[in-house]
Amino acid sequence: MVEAAKLISVIGAGAADERQKQDAFQVGQLLAQAGWGVVCGGLAGVMTEACRGCATAGGLTVGLLPGNEHDAANQWCRVVLPTGLGQARNALVVLAGQGAIAVGGEGGTLSEIGHAIKAGRPVVSLGSWRVEGVPQAESPEQAVRMLLDMLER
Amino acid sequence: MVEAAKLISVIGAGAADERQKQDAFQVGQLLAQAGWGVVCGGLAGVMTEACRGCATAGGLTVGLLPGNEHDAANQWCRVVLPTGLGQARNALVVLAGQGAIAVGGEGGTLSEIGHAIKAGRPVVSLGSWRVEGVPQAESPEQAVRMLLDMLER
Amino acid sequence: MVEAAKLISVIGAGAADERQKQDAFQVGQLLAQAGWGVVCGGLAGVMTEACRGCATAGGLTVGLLPGNEHDAANQWCRVVLPTGLGQARNALVVLAGQGAIAVGGEGGTLSEIGHAIKAGRPVVSLGSWRVEGVPQAESPEQAVRMLLDMLER
Amino acid sequence: MVEAAKLISVIGAGAADERQKQDAFQVGQLLAQAGWGVVCGGLAGVMTEACRGCATAGGLTVGLLPGNEHDAANQWCRVVLPTGLGQARNALVVLAGQGAIAVGGEGGTLSEIGHAIKAGRPVVSLGSWRVEGVPQAESPEQAVRMLLDMLER
């Protein structure tokens, strides 16, 4: 028997500013330090930084790509899964994790917040969409703590 | 050569209150009167009423179901497509239309609003999620007019 | 209440020879004459000809496209659904019909035959893959007759 | 930078006989010994045994489930991804690997062979469907050797 990796979905756009990238890096790092891996959309920006933070802290990283080719993944994904599904892969990104942290983000991230709510996955916003029922964190530390608290309940 | 049906996505939850159902019915009816068909998730509540409004006014109705079985569709869908995709079918519902009107709704509807933004489909909210950049309509008439105006630009 | 369109999946490659195109056209035509519509992948070759045969005989045609854009559809699709799913849309093409007829075809068509078997949809091969348990028809007439017979059982 | 795991898709049915289970176990074991991980549908039968063979030999195992729940995975998956896609997840199973080995199997496996051909992934049959252009191996050793040879070319 193998212990399944415990994963948190980190969601956010490929086009991210410096603050969002730093936040994503720290979220990934804090998750790894708490024993979690990261699953994300496998591309640039928030996705790259969350993977880099997680991987450099020893955590497992999984990227679910929209296209068909492995080499579109960022260089910090340990498990690269080209889905070929386009934006429908967003539903898979949030199903894969036990919960989700949204860092910045655009329409795709909003779709993931919606899929998380629908699937009953707890989700925390860190400088992402302001949506009724989704708690807002002020820092990476708070975002990770809030989410892990929600998962323990 | 056949003229492809022009479709608008009507999105909203299966669990809807009376006001939302009436709104959805009228949205479907107004769309049909303006020469549009309706594509939706094919189930109950907002989806049923939007199809009923559209079909009784002579419009084409398309339902993209989450499951594998045709008979889960509501009785007002002319074209029933069981996708088997679960919630990932939400991405398809908004891709299928030229634009979307959200009536009420829960997490699934929010995911559809996000997918619409990502895919560049204009979207109007009628008593649905308050999301930055998504215009709010006060009535079915206004929702349909706003969306059709956005499509003409 | 609206009567849902009865659809048969016609599967086959975009790259088809003359014989396959004629076969596909006739299959579409015979299905329409028997009261059925056609659902397919919405692109060229077998898909175009099956739609053309069906539409010109008054049947409903539905195309489930792999990409995101409506305008990739052939000109004989009445209902155009861009899925954005890439090849995963093949599973949807066979779920949409009550049964399937394969005309010629390559890897994608083989995947559809497999999905049809898995989903319990009867499937007939007309110059397509020779697969255990899939009956081979010698002509469009025989293919349509065999499939409709299987559906009545 | 993290080295992405190299994965081979092992495809086959949940309902497998003793011979198929032994074959799947050995295929997984040989792949791990050659430095490869296994990606599969994450369920029972061939999928469980391929994961068990791979994991007990130190390889990485990934399961792409058809449903929404992590706990449907077999106990030898290190990375569990509930896709919610039903049978459409078969397209993802073959995209995830560099190539595929089919052990026994039913309609779902045939769909995966078709998706592999379409996606240009080499595929070897070990007591699975006899399909034109798909080489048949006589033993797990031969199947793994044939596939790895095809990948090196």
Side-chain angles (χ1 to χ4, degrees):
Chain A
M1 198 189 133
V2 165
E3 196 184 359
K6 291 162 51 190
L7 300 172
I8 297 294
S9 310
V10 181
I11 57 184
D17 62 27
E18 274 315 301
R19 169 70 186 276
Q20 291 163 342
K21 286 183 187 174
Q22 286 175 24
D23 282 352
F25 178 85
Q26 277 193 272
V27 164
Q29 196 175 43
L30 290 162
L31 287 171
Q33 288 165 357
W36 292 82
V38 163
V39 57
C40 68
L43 299 177
V46 162
M47 298 170 269
T48 296
E49 291 306 307
C51 286
R52 190 168 68 89
C54 180
T56 54
L60 182 70
T61 51
V62 179
L64 287 157
L65 301 168
N68 289 316
E69 303 302 331
H70 287 82
D71 55 18
N74 71 62
Q75 296 196 309
W76 299 97
C77 290
R78 171 77 176 131
V79 180
V80 174
L81 298 157
T83 68
L85 297 176
Q87 294 308 309
R89 74 86 154 76
N90 293 1
L92 281 66
V93 171
V94 295
L95 278 178
Q98 301 294 325
I101 297 175
V103 182
E106 301 170 353
T109 307
L110 184 63
S111 77
E112 291 169 317
I113 294 172
H115 283 301
I117 294 170
K118 176 71 181 183
R121 300 286 192 275
V123 54
V124 171
S125 170
L126 177 58
S128 184
W129 293 87
R130 295 195 169 270
V131 167
E132 198 189 324
V134 174
Q136 303 279 328
E138 299 303 319
S139 67
E141 291 77 7
Q142 195 190 5
V144 170
R145 199 180 336 116
M146 283 170 74
L147 186 68
L148 298 185
D149 282 354
M150 289 160 85
L151 287 173
E152 274 172 21
R153 260 178 251 151
Chain B
M1 196 188 133
V2 164
E3 197 184 1
K6 291 162 52 191
L7 300 172
I8 298 294
S9 311
V10 182
I11 56 184
D17 62 27
E18 272 316 301
R19 169 70 185 274
Q20 291 163 341
K21 287 183 187 174
Q22 286 175 25
D23 283 351
F25 178 85
Q26 278 193 270
V27 164
Q29 196 176 43
L30 290 162
L31 287 170
Q33 288 165 357
W36 292 83
V38 162
V39 56
C40 68
L43 299 176
V46 162
M47 298 170 270
T48 296
E49 291 306 307
C51 286
R52 190 168 69 88
C54 181
T56 53
L60 182 70
T61 51
V62 179
L64 286 157
L65 301 168
N68 289 315
E69 304 302 331
H70 287 82
D71 56 17
N74 71 60
Q75 297 196 309
W76 299 95
C77 290
R78 171 78 175 128
V79 180
V80 174
L81 298 157
T83 68
L85 297 177
Q87 293 308 309
R89 74 84 154 78
N90 293 2
L92 281 66
V93 171
V94 294
L95 278 178
Q98 301 294 325
I101 297 175
V103 182
E106 301 171 355
T109 307
L110 183 63
S111 76
E112 291 170 316
I113 293 172
H115 283 301
I117 294 170
K118 175 73 180 181
R121 300 286 194 274
V123 53
V124 171
S125 170
L126 177 59
S128 184
W129 293 86
R130 294 194 169 271
V131 167
E132 198 189 324
V134 174
Q136 303 279 330
E138 299 301 320
S139 68
E141 291 78 6
Q142 194 191 6
V144 170
R145 199 179 336 116
M146 284 170 74
L147 185 69
L148 298 185
D149 282 353
M150 289 160 85
L151 287 173
E152 275 171 20
R153 263 179 249 151
Chain C
M1 196 187 134
V2 165
E3 196 183 0
K6 291 162 51 190
L7 301 172
I8 297 294
S9 310
V10 181
I11 57 183
D17 63 26
E18 273 315 301
R19 170 68 186 277
Q20 291 163 343
K21 287 183 188 175
Q22 287 175 24
D23 282 352
F25 178 85
Q26 278 194 270
V27 164
Q29 197 176 43
L30 291 161
L31 287 171
Q33 289 165 356
W36 292 83
V38 162
V39 57
C40 69
L43 299 176
V46 163
M47 297 171 270
T48 296
E49 292 306 307
C51 286
R52 191 168 67 90
C54 181
T56 54
L60 182 70
T61 51
V62 179
L64 286 157
L65 301 169
N68 289 316
E69 304 302 331
H70 287 82
D71 55 18
N74 71 61
Q75 296 197 308
W76 300 95
C77 290
R78 171 78 175 129
V79 181
V80 173
L81 298 157
T83 67
L85 297 176
Q87 294 308 309
R89 75 87 154 75
N90 293 1
L92 280 66
V93 171
V94 296
L95 278 178
Q98 302 294 326
I101 297 175
V103 182
E106 301 171 353
T109 307
L110 184 63
S111 76
E112 292 170 317
I113 294 172
H115 283 300
I117 294 170
K118 176 72 181 183
R121 300 287 192 275
V123 53
V124 170
S125 171
L126 177 58
S128 183
W129 293 87
R130 295 194 169 270
V131 166
E132 199 189 324
V134 175
Q136 303 279 327
E138 299 302 319
S139 67
E141 291 78 6
Q142 195 190 5
V144 171
R145 199 180 335 116
M146 283 169 75
L147 185 69
L148 297 185
D149 282 354
M150 289 159 84
L151 287 173
E152 276 172 18
R153 259 179 251 150
Chain D
M1 197 188 131
V2 165
E3 198 183 0
K6 292 162 51 191
L7 301 172
I8 297 294
S9 310
V10 181
I11 56 184
D17 62 27
E18 273 315 302
R19 169 69 185 276
Q20 292 164 340
K21 287 183 187 175
Q22 287 175 24
D23 283 352
F25 177 85
Q26 279 194 269
V27 164
Q29 196 175 42
L30 291 162
L31 287 171
Q33 288 164 357
W36 293 83
V38 163
V39 57
C40 69
L43 299 176
V46 162
M47 296 171 271
T48 295
E49 292 305 306
C51 286
R52 190 168 68 88
C54 181
T56 54
L60 183 70
T61 51
V62 180
L64 287 156
L65 301 169
N68 289 317
E69 303 303 331
H70 287 84
D71 56 16
N74 71 60
Q75 297 197 307
W76 299 95
C77 290
R78 170 78 175 129
V79 180
V80 174
L81 298 157
T83 69
L85 296 176
Q87 294 308 307
R89 75 83 154 78
N90 292 2
L92 280 66
V93 171
V94 295
L95 278 178
Q98 300 295 323
I101 297 175
V103 181
E106 302 171 354
T109 307
L110 184 62
S111 76
E112 292 170 315
I113 293 171
H115 283 300
I117 294 169
K118 176 72 182 181
R121 300 286 193 276
V123 54
V124 171
S125 169
L126 177 57
S128 183
W129 293 87
R130 295 194 169 271
V131 167
E132 199 189 324
V134 175
Q136 303 279 328
E138 299 302 318
S139 68
E141 291 79 6
Q142 195 191 4
V144 170
R145 199 179 335 115
M146 285 170 74
L147 185 69
L148 297 185
D149 282 353
M150 290 159 85
L151 287 174
E152 275 172 20
R153 262 179 251 151

